[in-house]
Amino acid sequence: MKHKENGNTKQKIYETAKRLYIEHGYFNISNKRLSEESGINQGLITYYFKSKKNIALAVLTEDYYILSGYLKYFMTPEDDPLMYIVTFMNVTFQIRKHDPKARRFISDVMQEDLLEEFAFVNQKEEYLKLLKKNSSTSENPETQLKLVLATVYGTQRTIQRLINESMELSYDEYFRYMIEILLFALHLPDKSDMVDTLIHKSDQATKQLFKTHPHLLNESDYLYKK
Amino acid sequence: MKHKENGNTKQKIYETAKRLYIEHGYFNISNKRLSEESGINQGLITYYFKSKKNIALAVLTEDYYILSGYLKYFMTPEDDPLMYIVTFMNVTFQIRKHDPKARRFISDVMQEDLLEEFAFVNQKEEYLKLLKKNSSTSENPETQLKLVLATVYGTQRTIQRLINESMELSYDEYFRYMIEILLFALHLPDKSDMVDTLIHKSDQATKQLFKTHPHLLNESDYLYKK
């Protein structure tokens, strides 16, 4: 019984935080506000999650599992880990483009360096497969993986910030550049026809996904309740 | 007379901040502490600099002009802007490697995204020359420059953080990777013999610089007084 109550408390903190972070902005929601809105005292929030970052990481993870649950009907990471990673990126870029609140949330958590932390845990297997196939260096795989993620997400974080500050770059250009930098970081040849193929095939899957499941274009329709 | 007093006040804030930020860490020094140490009230600090970031940017700029003043005896940005940019990076990597307080300061200001802001102003000419020579795209040069700096410094920022958190990567490996990513971002062919040449020649100039001016290896010997 105690255990169940604890679970409910933790869940309630999480669900409230998720909604508030996305609806009102991650940086605008203090633990004090979260405590007021959830009716759970601040000590328990710290007890269960230690820091806001851990709640945001849980949101990223849940989002990833929901989206990849749908995506798996179109492709699997086992068949082609590179296409899978690119398509997932394509999906999230479309959501960012379509849903301003999703864009704000992802921009905020990128400022906190959470995307690479998220990917290091949740996309580790796919990246390691790619590195194994393409790497010629003797560095240990964990260090290689960290370098790849530092490159992809360090750059993405900064570009997103500049776009938010009004740099003129379309989402198509941004997405293409992210693929180019991914290929660079993975030591894959950066041939423009390979980039074109990745864009074209991931576009097809992404369009199909949103055509079949249009509610995935808004986080408030699949990730939390307003 | 009034003007001179103002100049002295601003200068005193700046000199005190520079010493404190490097000696004790940028994130550890509040404006309150800066006010106590300089004997100048917090209102005036805000009046002259608006934010801590602007003081840190001024420190980066002064550091750059001191170092490039020495470097110009070995090479000029006009002759070979790429070699100049790489050699300046080499010099700062050596200082970072040698002087733990310099390393902490640069890590801190990278967290604040100040290096790309610094480079956008102070190395603009060199970068634009390189982009003009090598670019085939029709994007406007300012956007291209921002993308290059976002790539180089976004990645560098994240790698530096991971190194500080104990990722195993030698400064030589880190420096080589930074050159590779610079060539990628500038659309230059990433040939390993080109990377080797850039490392070799910039090493020679850097060694010569520190041999002739060993005091440049410690920021407390050329940038501020303890």
Side-chain angles (χ1 to χ4, degrees):
Chain A
M1 193 62 191
K2 182 119 195 291
H3 180 75
K4 201 180 168 195
E5 273 171 23
N6 288 348
N8 286 345
T9 303
K10 189 175 178 183
Q11 192 64 24
K12 192 164 185 192
I13 297 167
Y14 172 71
E15 294 293 339
T16 311
K18 182 170 62 178
R19 176 176 57 79
L20 292 172
Y21 289 172
I22 301 175
E23 280 289 312
H24 303 288
Y26 174 79
F27 289 121
N28 295 325
I29 299 298
S30 62
N31 276 0
K32 183 165 174 287
R33 172 85 184 274
L34 174 54
S35 166
E36 287 160 6
E37 296 265 348
S38 64
I40 292 163
N41 78 55
Q42 281 195 58
L44 280 174
I45 297 173
T46 313
Y47 172 77
Y48 282 118
F49 288 100
K50 282 189 184 159
S51 73
K52 280 177 73 176
K53 285 187 182 183
N54 288 323
I55 308 182
L57 271 175
V59 177
L60 289 175
T61 305
E62 189 191 357
D63 193 16
Y64 179 67
Y65 281 100
I66 292 173
L67 293 174
S68 54
Y70 286 97
L71 198 55
K72 274 172 189 164
Y73 292 97
F74 299 94
M75 62 176 63
T76 71
E78 291 76 23
D79 290 341
D80 188 342
L82 181 62
M83 187 58 77
Y84 190 80
I85 286 171
V86 167
T87 306
F88 184 73
M89 201 193 282
N90 198 332
V91 169
T92 62
F93 269 57
Q94 292 304 318
I95 296 172
R96 247 184 256 185
K97 196 172 154 183
H98 193 269
D99 177 355
K101 287 178 178 174
R103 180 164 65 244
R104 179 177 58 188
F105 180 70
I106 208 79
S107 301
D108 286 354
V109 298
M110 276 201 273
Q111 288 308 307
E112 294 275 76
D113 304 304
L114 295 181
L115 273 199
E116 54 262 47
E117 216 173 310
F118 155 80
F120 188 79
V121 175
N122 294 290
Q123 300 192 309
K124 189 170 195 166
E125 218 174 304
E126 289 89 325
Y127 277 107
L128 286 181
K129 252 187 217 169
L130 287 166
L131 282 167
K132 213 172 176 180
K133 224 192 278 179
N134 306 304
S135 173
S136 55
T137 69
S138 56
E139 270 165 36
N140 90 54
E142 290 245 324
T143 304
Q144 280 189 58
L145 173 56
K146 283 181 183 172
L147 275 181
V148 172
L149 298 177
T151 308
V152 172
Y153 289 111
T155 304
Q156 189 178 150
R157 171 187 175 282
T158 308
I159 293 179
Q160 185 68 51
R161 182 173 57 77
L162 293 171
I163 290 175
N164 296 350
E165 286 171 5
S166 84
M167 177 171 74
E168 280 183 32
L169 192 77
S170 72
Y171 264 85
D172 285 351
E173 292 169 314
Y174 182 14
F175 181 54
R176 173 175 283 270
Y177 192 64
M178 280 300 113
I179 295 177
E180 287 170 358
I181 211 161
L182 176 66
L183 297 181
F184 162 81
L186 288 167
H187 310 289
L188 282 161
D190 175 11
K191 287 180 195 149
S192 68
D193 58 344
M194 188 166 178
V195 177
D196 288 341
T197 305
L198 286 165
I199 291 176
H200 181 68
K201 285 201 177 177
S202 70
D203 268 351
Q204 283 185 315
T206 304
K207 271 176 193 150
Q208 199 57 40
L209 176 76
F210 288 124
K211 201 180 160 191
T212 333
H213 308 287
H215 73 294
L216 296 178
L217 275 168
N218 288 296
E219 286 187 345
S220 65
D221 291 333
Y222 73 88
L223 189 58
Y224 67 99
K225 283 178 201 141
K226 265 189 196 173
Chain B
M1 192 63 191
K2 184 122 195 284
H3 180 75
K4 200 179 166 193
E5 271 171 24
N6 287 349
N8 285 344
T9 303
K10 190 175 179 183
Q11 191 65 23
K12 192 164 186 191
I13 297 166
Y14 172 71
E15 294 293 338
T16 310
K18 181 169 64 176
R19 174 175 59 80
L20 293 172
Y21 289 171
I22 301 175
E23 280 290 311
H24 303 289
Y26 174 79
F27 289 121
N28 296 324
I29 300 297
S30 62
N31 277 359
K32 186 166 172 286
R33 173 82 184 277
L34 175 54
S35 167
E36 286 160 8
E37 295 266 347
S38 63
I40 292 162
N41 78 55
Q42 281 195 58
L44 281 174
I45 297 174
T46 313
Y47 172 77
Y48 282 118
F49 289 100
K50 281 189 183 158
S51 74
K52 280 177 73 174
K53 284 187 183 184
N54 288 323
I55 309 183
L57 272 176
V59 177
L60 289 175
T61 305
E62 188 190 358
D63 194 15
Y64 179 66
Y65 280 101
I66 292 173
L67 293 175
S68 53
Y70 286 97
L71 198 56
K72 274 172 188 164
Y73 292 98
F74 300 94
M75 61 176 66
T76 70
E78 291 76 23
D79 290 342
D80 188 343
L82 181 62
M83 186 60 76
Y84 190 80
I85 286 171
V86 167
T87 305
F88 184 72
M89 200 194 283
N90 198 331
V91 168
T92 62
F93 269 57
Q94 291 305 318
I95 295 171
R96 248 185 255 185
K97 196 172 155 183
H98 192 269
D99 177 355
K101 287 178 179 174
R103 179 163 66 244
R104 178 178 58 188
F105 180 69
I106 208 79
S107 301
D108 287 353
V109 297
M110 276 201 273
Q111 288 308 306
E112 295 274 75
D113 304 304
L114 295 181
L115 274 199
E116 54 264 47
E117 216 174 311
F118 154 79
F120 187 78
V121 175
N122 295 290
Q123 300 193 308
K124 189 169 193 167
E125 218 175 306
E126 290 87 325
Y127 276 107
L128 286 182
K129 254 187 215 168
L130 287 166
L131 282 167
K132 213 172 178 181
K133 225 192 279 177
N134 306 302
S135 173
S136 54
T137 69
S138 55
E139 271 165 34
N140 90 56
E142 290 245 324
T143 304
Q144 279 189 58
L145 173 57
K146 282 182 184 173
L147 276 181
V148 171
L149 297 177
T151 308
V152 171
Y153 289 112
T155 304
Q156 189 178 151
R157 171 186 175 282
T158 308
I159 293 179
Q160 185 67 53
R161 181 172 59 77
L162 293 171
I163 289 176
N164 295 350
E165 285 171 4
S166 84
M167 177 171 75
E168 280 183 31
L169 191 76
S170 71
Y171 265 83
D172 285 351
E173 292 169 313
Y174 182 14
F175 180 55
R176 172 175 283 271
Y177 192 65
M178 280 299 114
I179 295 177
E180 287 170 358
I181 210 159
L182 176 66
L183 297 181
F184 162 81
L186 288 167
H187 310 289
L188 282 161
D190 176 10
K191 287 181 195 149
S192 70
D193 58 345
M194 187 165 177
V195 177
D196 289 340
T197 305
L198 285 166
I199 291 177
H200 181 68
K201 285 201 175 177
S202 71
D203 269 352
Q204 283 185 316
T206 305
K207 272 177 192 149
Q208 198 58 37
L209 176 76
F210 288 125
K211 202 180 160 191
T212 332
H213 308 287
H215 73 292
L216 296 177
L217 275 168
N218 288 298
E219 286 187 343
S220 64
D221 291 333
Y222 73 89
L223 190 56
Y224 67 99
K225 283 178 199 142
K226 265 190 196 173

